[in-house]
Amino acid sequence: RDDEIGKISRYLDAGGRLLALFNYETVNKDLGLEHLLAKWGVNVGEDIVCDPENTHSGPDVEVKDFSDHKVVNALRNASIHLVYPRTISRIEISSAADAPRSEEIARTGPNSTLLTATNLPAKAYPVSVAVEKGAVAGVAGGRTTRIVVVGDSTAFNNQMLLSAANRDFVRLAVNWLVDRPQLLDQLGPRPAHEFMMLMTRKQWITASLILLVGLPGVTLVFGSLVWLRRRN
């Protein structure tokens, strides 16, 4: 494993590109990548984020808060759907001009908590970080190292890839990594084979009350009024 991590490290030092996806099943497991990414300004947390206001079934989180970064600018009116996301935050490692620049690009809702530390106050938690080193403004290519780290990997399997804007997020991340700026301005076209609506638990309860109680109730009230009027 150390030999593999060493090869990745040398590859990044030479201007490599890396998309790293972590999984909740690897919490408290030393994969080696955590120490490597720390040198590039990324902290891979051992905490799992829960967001009760933006969940559909409990373990999943719909992430809607994005920073001003090329990877996620096109997602401002969209969301990505993660499952048991781990915290991924930036580390300030140096103020030197040639130091890696890391930025938190996606965060959960403001009332999120940690599954492994419930005594902490609720707040937004970062779940994705982008890193860049060696870029020169206005110059494409060159020995520029770019890294995107996401706190969930299951969100990009065959099933979850079609949920929310997950597919667009992967496409945007890859296009930024390989320096294709012309493909970062908007979401890609897609054929509409079926329509899917994502609703949080609160939205589902509200919709259920309206459809199962509100509409029948209104119909019953108007029917009763018509019956009373005809009877009189």
Side-chain angles (χ1 to χ4, degrees), residues 166-184:
N166 287 6
R167 180 171 60 179
D168 292 299
F169 178 53
V170 173
R171 179 183 59 82
L172 291 167
V174 171
N175 284 330
W176 180 75
L177 287 171
V178 299
D179 199 13
R180 295 174 180 168
Q182 69 276 14
L183 300 177
L184 296 173

Side-chain angles (χ1 to χ4, degrees), residues 51-62 199-202:
D51 190 350
E53 293 183 349
N54 295 288
T55 184
H56 307 285
S57 59
D60 66 309
V61 175
E62 189 175 355
M199 302 176 66
T200 63
R201 187 173 298 172
K202 183 178 180 180

